[in-house]
Amino acid sequence: MRWSISQLKKFKNQSLNIDETVILPDLTDRKDILSIDEVRVTGQISVHPFRMDVNLNISTAVNMLDSRTSENIQFPLQIDSYEIFDETVEEDDDVDENVHPLDHTLDIEPVVRELIIVNIPQVYSESDEPPKNGKNWEVIDASEFNSEEDDKVDPRLEKLKALLNSDEEKEE
């Protein structure tokens, strides 16, 4: 997914179709991502005098762990993006995130990698409900919550409460 600018300039004011399948190993260091299947990249490159407009469609499947149960699940990923590679833009320029500097080659693999990483969600299998309890904790309803326990004062702080009460009496 790399072309030289001189190669692309031959297609001036035309479009070049993209249809490639690539394997992107070591895409992310997230522990919940087990693997990513082959990535199919399709789209078009529109060649202009000082820039290349790239319309991308990326499709793959991400094999990952369910965020609640740690079971293996496969999440299909479909991404559409419009990217601009411009010869007049420098690396340090503050421009739109979809505008990239263009040097001697047009390399869309880093953009494909970034789009996949940004679009990988945290996944929960649909059949699961969130856990209701765990070790030393439990989810309770608001009706089960007893607010009277909040009014109880820790015996170690009883003297401070008495001090607070005496200050309130002085102010009155």
Side-chain angles (χ1 to χ4, degrees):
M1 293 190 298
R2 175 182 275 180
W3 301 268
S4 72
I5 298 301
S6 59
Q7 183 183 19
L8 290 172
K9 294 273 183 172
K10 294 175 186 174
F11 297 97
K12 188 176 180 181
N13 297 324
Q14 296 180 20
S15 292
L16 180 68
N17 290 328
I18 305 170
D19 190 356
E20 294 194 30
T21 303
V22 293
I23 297 175
L24 300 174
D26 303 325
L27 188 64
T28 179
D29 60 353
R30 279 180 45 181
K31 302 293 185 219
D32 61 335
I33 307 297
L34 302 174
S35 66
I36 296 180
D37 293 350
E38 289 183 336
V39 179
R40 181 153 188 235
V41 180
T42 58
Q44 288 185 329
I45 301 173
S46 299
V47 181
H48 302 286
F50 295 104
R51 75 170 206 235
M52 310 293 165
D53 297 344
V54 182
N55 193 3
L56 291 173
N57 179 281
I58 304 165
S59 58
T60 188
V62 180
N63 301 305
M64 57 192 314
L65 297 175
D66 182 284
S67 296
R68 291 186 182 134
T69 64
S70 294
E71 294 177 8
N72 293 347
I73 55 175
Q74 188 174 47
F75 181 77
L77 197 58
Q78 189 76 25
I79 305 165
D80 291 317
S81 183
Y82 184 77
E83 306 292 327
I84 299 171
F85 294 84
D86 196 333
E87 289 181 280
T88 62
V89 172
E90 297 293 325
E91 192 74 37
D92 301 338
D93 290 350
D94 187 26
V95 292
D96 186 17
E97 63 186 27
N98 291 1
V99 178
H100 310 278
L102 183 61
D103 217 1
H104 303 291
T105 59
L106 172 64
D107 186 7
I108 61 172
E109 184 177 321
V111 174
V112 170
R113 285 177 170 273
E114 181 181 344
L115 287 169
I116 292 172
I117 290 170
V118 171
N119 285 286
I120 295 175
Q122 249 188 341
V123 177
Y124 307 104
S125 60
E126 294 177 14
S127 62
D128 291 352
E129 288 187 23
K132 295 290 183 187
N133 58 19
K135 186 176 182 179
N136 298 328
W137 66 273
E138 180 180 0
V139 177
I140 59 172
D141 292 333
S143 60
E144 297 174 18
F145 181 71
N146 186 357
S147 62
E148 292 175 12
E149 291 179 12
D150 289 343
D151 294 337
K152 292 182 181 177
V153 177
D154 186 335
R156 297 171 290 180
L157 302 174
E158 192 67 40
K159 291 181 182 178
L160 291 175
K161 186 174 182 182
L163 182 62
L164 181 63
N165 290 339
S166 67
D167 283 347
E168 288 176 358
E169 289 175 6
K170 288 180 184 177
E171 290 177 4
E172 293 175 356

